[in-house]
Amino acid sequence: MKRILLSCFLLTATVGITAIPHASAYAAPSPVTSAAFTAKVNLMDTQIGAGNITAAQATWNEIHDMMLSVLAVTKNSIRTAATPADEATYRTILTNQTNLYQTIWGLKPDLATNRVAIHAKLLDFSATIY
């Protein structure tokens, strides 16, 4: 009887230990500079102007990844804000970035036709990078 009880106890302890979730280290998103972002935007604009839509689409994909990284940095800033005032500032920035992102996303399906508008909105987005 003692052996059965001991076996049950060990089995329960083993299952309990393996079921404990382990926290993973949080990696902050890598920052994107306004200068690097603007350079990519200007590159894409040049590619569209030259009629190289395939290259422009590839550059758009890089710009999109950069925008997602910027949004992640802002969200992280909200999460780690030192004061409520800082948090409010970052929330305002995130709102502006999100609105610009949605506008840009709506223009993205036709890069050639929307070239001027998308370039302007991407430069507006670049101005929100801190």
Side-chain angles (χ1 to χ4, degrees), residues 10 29 34 37 56 61 89 97 101 107 121 127:
L10 290 175
S34 181
F37 187 83
N61 291 337
T89 299
Q97 288 173 341
Y101 177 87
L107 296 170
K121 289 300 178 183

Side-chain angles (χ1 to χ4, degrees), residues 22-92:
H22 297 282
S24 60
Y26 174 76
S30 60
V32 173
T33 66
S34 181
F37 187 83
T38 300
K40 280 290 183 200
V41 169
N42 289 334
L43 173 62
M44 184 181 76
D45 187 58
T46 302
Q47 292 166 334
I48 295 169
N52 192 347
I53 300 302
T54 303
Q57 183 61 46
T59 303
W60 159 258
N61 291 337
E62 293 174 28
I63 290 169
H64 183 252
D65 290 344
M66 292 171 90
M67 285 194 299
L68 293 179
S69 181
V70 168
L71 290 167
V73 167
T74 305
K75 288 176 185 178
N76 186 54
S77 295
I78 291 168
R79 189 180 63 77
T80 60
T83 66
D86 289 344
E87 181 182 348
T89 299
Y90 292 129
R91 286 191 183 281
T92 301

Side-chain angles (χ1 to χ4, degrees), residues 1-12:
M1 183 70 173
K2 288 181 183 180
R3 287 184 187 173
I4 294 173
L5 186 58
L6 180 61
S7 297
C8 288
F9 174 74
L10 290 175
L11 180 62
T12 303

